[in-house]
Amino acid sequence: MSEASPAADSGDTPAAPPDAPPGRRFEPDLRSMTRINLRPIASPMPLGFFTIALASVMTGCLQLGILGEEARTAVAFTVLPAFVLQLLVSFLAFGARDVIAATLMAVFAGSWLPYALIMLSGAPDGLRVLGVFNLALLCFGALMTAVTGPKRALWLVLAVSLPRWAATGLAGVTGAEWLTRASGVLGLVVALVAMYTAFALMLEDMRSEQVLPLGRSGPAHLAVEGDLAVQLRNLERQAGVRRTL
């Protein structure tokens, strides 16, 4: 009769499943020893919406003729920081596990950079290129509206941005002056909606309750009104915790 080894008797080595191939090492179940640390952050969304509002006012005033053609370079310089600020908002939103807000803010950031660079450089046929670019943004925005419904604030800003992207794109491609003016008016509408949303979110954060209506529903409503158990639901399956994206 063979003797059992001391290591096996001590219980230091976990028992292998009966159908395991010889020579395989099996780790113990680590779930009871695993800890997931969360770091609360301030919401970056008011900054993102205020940035959209300010940049939309400047570009809208240029399109409406309130600012003359000689102001293009100055407008480009005022819009350029919007790229940096919204990229920062996107980065923080990814860290806050909000992929929809992060993606939308990153795309907005990416829309301000080419506009500012083309206005600064005076690249040949730049307005036509921006027109095609805005039509591509329109396609992206149309897809995003299908998933941002519960986040009514994001959805509303996106919904008013869609006709502006359409007008700006068609104006750049066709050169129609009335479409440029229409895009300028729509830009001011986008600014008003984004300003309201940013203000409502800041009031909510300061008073820890909804003051102005934001229209959240479904998971977005539960994320704000639910308890901690709701926030941590399915956490082990989220990006950054699970092994693959």
Side-chain angles (χ1 to χ4, degrees), residues 85-211:
L85 291 176
Q86 289 204 272
L87 195 61
L88 173 63
V89 171
S90 174
F91 177 78
L92 293 174
F94 275 119
R97 301 179 293 138
D98 193 333
V99 65
I100 295 177
T103 302
L104 190 59
M105 287 297 161
V107 171
F108 269 109
S111 69
W112 300 125
L113 182 60
Y115 175 87
L117 293 179
I118 287 177
M119 291 294 105
L120 285 173
S121 65
D125 217 15
L127 292 179
R128 184 179 295 272
V129 172
L130 283 177
V132 176
F133 180 74
N134 276 276
L135 292 177
L137 278 178
L138 176 63
C139 297
F140 161 79
L143 294 175
M144 284 293 291
T145 54
V147 295
T148 54
K151 296 174 175 291
R152 193 63 63 185
L154 280 175
W155 182 89
L156 189 57
V157 173
L158 187 59
V160 295
S161 297
L162 292 181
R164 196 202 181 188
W165 287 334
T168 303
L170 293 174
V173 172
T174 64
E177 186 66 21
W178 71 271
L179 283 172
T180 301
R181 303 298 184 193
S183 177
V185 172
L186 291 169
L188 298 182
V189 174
V190 171
L192 287 174
V193 174
M195 195 77 70
Y196 167 83
T197 303
F199 183 63
L201 288 173
M202 284 198 302
L203 279 179
E204 181 181 72
D205 186 72
M206 290 172 60
R207 301 188 184 181
S208 299
E209 62 179 359
Q210 183 173 288
V211 180

Side-chain angles (χ1 to χ4, degrees), residues 3-55:
E3 297 181 358
S5 66
D9 293 339
S10 65
D12 293 336
T13 303
D19 56 345
R24 287 284 301 275
R25 179 185 177 187
F26 286 84
E27 298 290 343
D29 189 353
L30 302 180
R31 285 176 293 183
S32 61
M33 296 181 284
T34 301
R35 297 293 181 269
I36 300 173
N37 297 317
L38 302 178
R39 179 182 298 175
I41 64 171
S43 173
M45 297 310 295
L47 173 60
F49 287 126
F50 272 129
T51 303
I52 291 174
L54 294 174

